[in-house]
Amino acid sequence: MPLDPSFIGRTYPPTPPYEVSREKIREFAEAVGDLHPAYTDPAAARALGHDDVIAPPTFPFTIAHRAADQVVQDPELGLDFSRVVHSDQRFDYTRPMRAGDRVSVVTTVESAGSLGGSDILGVRGDVIDAVGEHVVTVRMRIVARGADRKG
């Protein structure tokens, strides 16, 4: 069954606050193999004009991906998650995410349709800080392969 296009524009409630810690930033930087000193050394981050260590550019995906679960697990949407692959992602920053931030994500469905027998869903996660200011927008596209395809 194809995705319901009436979901386009639907916005989900903000996620509970997530506290960005130095340790989570360090773990992520190590996991992706990006050991820039601004990710682990507060003095190096301050030398670049930041208040504390900053997160690597793709770090917000970990938070936005969890927030997108509100969409992909919505039974009314009709997405077969067992057939889903992550297609692409994009980040549009207002400022870097940094240790000590308490952020929430407001998730919106930007597109929902079918192409070549597969469902394609575009999701936007607007990451905001504790005072409601925008930090970064994470856009992701996921594809649910058609049931008639093998592999």
Side-chain angles (χ1 to χ4, degrees):
M1 150 159 127
L3 296 179
D4 183 350
S6 72
F7 270 69
I8 298 170
R10 184 176 289 195
T11 298
Y12 290 78
T15 60
Y18 173 92
E19 187 161 342
V20 180
S21 70
R22 287 180 181 172
E23 183 63 15
K24 289 292 183 186
I25 291 171
R26 183 194 59 75
E27 289 172 352
F28 186 86
E30 287 178 357
V32 299
D34 189 345
L35 302 179
H36 190 286
Y39 305 149
T40 57
D41 181 2
R46 279 192 293 276
L48 294 172
H50 304 289
D51 295 338
D52 204 333
V53 297
I54 58 172
T58 56
F59 179 86
F61 178 76
T62 60
I63 303 161
H65 183 268
R66 277 184 258 160
D69 283 348
Q70 295 176 90
V71 178
V72 299
Q73 293 180 7
D74 189 330
E76 294 178 24
L77 178 63
L79 182 71
D80 182 356
F81 192 73
S82 70
R83 306 189 72 74
V84 163
V85 295
H86 182 82
S87 173
D88 62 44
Q89 64 192 30
R90 186 174 89 213
F91 302 87
D92 297 309
Y93 275 90
T94 299
R95 68 163 175 83
M97 190 172 288
R98 56 188 170 243
D101 279 341
R102 289 182 54 78
V103 296
S104 296
V105 183
V106 176
T107 305
T108 303
V109 176
E110 287 197 311
S111 62
S114 296
L115 182 64
S118 294
D119 291 327
I120 302 172
L121 180 67
V123 178
R124 182 182 80 228
D126 294 305
V127 181
I128 55 174
D129 65 17
V131 296
E133 293 187 3
H134 180 265
V135 177
V136 60
T137 295
V138 180
R139 285 185 169 83
M140 64 189 84
R141 187 169 321 280
I142 59 174
V143 176
R145 295 171 294 136
D148 59 338
R149 295 186 174 210
K150 303 286 187 238

